Amino acid sequence: MKKIFTLISVALVAMGVNAQTESYSAITNSALSSEYAAVVGSNGVATNVSNGSSKVNFGTTNVTVEAVGSSDPADLAGGGQDITIGNLISEADHTYELVSINSTKDIKWEAKNQGDIDFWYVAGTGTPAVSMVAEEIFSDGTGTGTYRVKVTAFDPATGGEPASGLYYKITTAVDGALKVGIWANKGNRTTFLVDGETKQAIPYLVEGYINGQNYSEDDVTAGKATAEQVGKKKWLTNDEIVALRSASNSEWVIGAGNQNFWGNVIIDAKAGKTYWLFQGNSQIGFQGYTFAPGKTKEELVTGIESVKVVAAADNNADAPIYNLAGQKVSKNYKGVVVQNGKKFVQK
């Protein structure tokens, strides 16, 4: 029988056949999945906007997700009045309760593609914030009677939970390992998974691609790549990503430099707990998730870091196909996939 040499991840293949593993992919035949499509019109603008936020819900047996996107009010940039204010919060800061936002810019849930990876995000809006208040605009020490929205970003030193912007609320019914596929336009921005009970950011493992990080001759020498892969994008382990961070980067930075990142963040999730996923001052694309009941985050790493050059049997055209998150996908899926132990781009 003819043999071919290729790269295979034992961990990824094993995870794909685990009957208990639950997976959700936001991509369905490279079109809006039904959960998203149900809340947008033919022009892609969300139709379920209420008080400045658009929400979609989806999930599997033990995982539920609510994706929330908020846009800026349509006319507040120039000090407009299209908000409803409540009681005075601080006379010194000229801030009031923000009861409602009465109009918004368009919110669009869209599918995009970067580096052969499809992902979801809310187009052009939704920088996450833990609080929103109404601030009166003053001129020469005198109140003008017009107001603007003032937001407070998440600070890992003090904690909190997102109140506006783009974020994903994830709840798990049982203990297990949760891996979420993400895309970040700017990998050097902070990325948080926040415990809904303690309101504190929790540590996670991260793995994936960083734009500009490619396989080298050293990887070939170390048995982590073939000669044909030199110069191509490199799948980075958690340790490799941590090593790329500069001294000024915090533990919440997933990338190196002002570069795109696409890959996974992985945590140990607990039964009945909620977690919020978001970036500190930017947006994060959602690709899907894999949840393995009873497993730990270390057991759910994709395993690309352990690839070995092995002899693989002739290709079986009917063999299952998996994406890099370990999720079983169809032949219509577009992106990097693994079939018969071989990693390739399916177009």
Side-chain angles (χ1 to χ4, degrees):
M1 179 181 293
K2 181 181 177 182
K3 302 287 185 179
I4 57 174
F5 287 89
T6 185
L7 293 173
I8 186 170
S9 165
V10 176
L12 178 60
V13 174
M15 185 174 63
V17 298
N18 185 340
Q20 292 184 316
T21 299
E22 303 172 20
S23 295
Y24 175 91
S25 176
I27 300 299
T28 302
N29 297 332
S30 298
L32 287 170
S33 64
S34 59
E35 293 88 344
Y36 289 84
V39 297
V40 298
S42 59
N43 60 353
V45 178
T47 59
N48 68 333
V49 178
S50 175
N51 196 22
S53 294
S54 172
K55 299 179 181 180
V56 293
N57 296 277
F58 47 90
T60 52
T61 302
N62 289 304
V63 181
T64 57
V65 181
E66 181 175 72
V68 181
S70 305
S71 70
D72 297 327
D75 61 354
L76 285 186
Q81 296 246 47
D82 207 5
I83 59 176
T84 302
I85 66 172
N87 296 325
L88 179 70
I89 296 175
S90 170
E91 186 172 357
D93 294 332
H94 316 301
T95 54
Y96 295 78
E97 292 178 350
L98 180 58
V99 176
S100 65
I101 297 174
N102 306 322
S103 71
T104 66
K105 296 177 181 177
D106 291 342
I107 296 177
K108 298 182 181 181
W109 291 88
E110 294 187 348
K112 296 292 184 181
N113 179 278
Q114 174 73 27
D116 298 314
I117 300 297
D118 293 313
F119 61 93
W120 291 99
Y121 83 123
V122 177
T125 62
T127 301
V130 296
S131 70
M132 296 177 68
V133 297
E135 179 184 40
E136 184 175 8
I137 299 172
F138 270 61
S139 176
D140 296 327
T142 303
T144 63
T146 59
Y147 303 84
R148 60 191 171 199
V149 176
K150 180 179 180 180
V151 300
T152 302
F154 177 84
D155 183 348
T158 56
E161 61 187 70
S164 65
L166 174 61
Y167 60 91
Y168 304 92
K169 181 180 178 181
I170 307 171
T171 303
T172 49
V174 298
D175 290 356
L178 176 68
K179 172 163 60 178
V180 183
I182 65 172
W183 182 90
N185 183 48
K186 299 182 183 298
N188 62 347
R189 303 293 176 86
T190 51
T191 298
F192 301 108
L193 271 158
V194 169
D195 186 314
E197 182 178 349
T198 66
K199 307 297 189 294
Q200 299 297 312
I202 59 176
Y204 51 77
L205 296 179
V206 58
E207 59 181 11
Y209 297 106
I210 296 175
N211 190 46
Q213 297 295 320
N214 302 323
Y215 283 108
S216 66
E217 295 291 350
D218 289 339
D219 293 312
V220 178
T221 302
K224 296 182 178 180
T226 65
E228 291 78 12
Q229 286 184 293
V230 173
K232 297 181 180 179
K233 289 183 176 64
K234 180 180 181 180
W235 181 267
L236 300 166
T237 68
N238 183 77
D239 289 345
E240 288 172 326
I241 290 175
V242 170
L244 288 171
R245 295 172 182 159
S246 68
S248 61
N249 288 154
S250 75
E251 63 181 303
W252 312 113
V253 172
I254 55 177
N258 191 24
Q259 298 292 332
N260 303 146
F261 169 88
W262 52 104
N264 303 312
V265 291
I266 315 170
I267 63 168
D268 290 323
K270 300 299 181 182
K273 295 197 74 170
T274 293
Y275 305 89
W276 284 284
L277 170 66
F278 58 94
Q279 282 203 314
N281 58 355
S282 187
Q283 295 178 325
I284 196 167
F286 177 85
Q287 197 182 345
Y289 64 81
T290 297
F291 180 69
K295 301 292 186 180
T296 65
K297 61 180 184 293
E298 289 77 13
E299 294 178 278
L300 206 56
V301 293
T302 300
I304 297 296
E305 70 274 22
S306 324
V307 294
K308 300 177 181 179
V309 178
V310 298
D314 286 337
N315 285 348
N316 174 8
D318 296 322
I321 303 172
Y322 303 95
N323 63 19
L324 290 181
Q327 302 163 339
K328 189 175 180 180
V329 297
S330 72
K331 292 183 178 181
N332 293 319
Y333 177 87
K334 298 183 185 300
V336 181
V337 296
V338 176
Q339 184 184 41
N340 295 306
K342 183 178 181 181
K343 185 159 78 90
F344 62 94
V345 177
Q346 184 167 261
K347 299 181 178 180

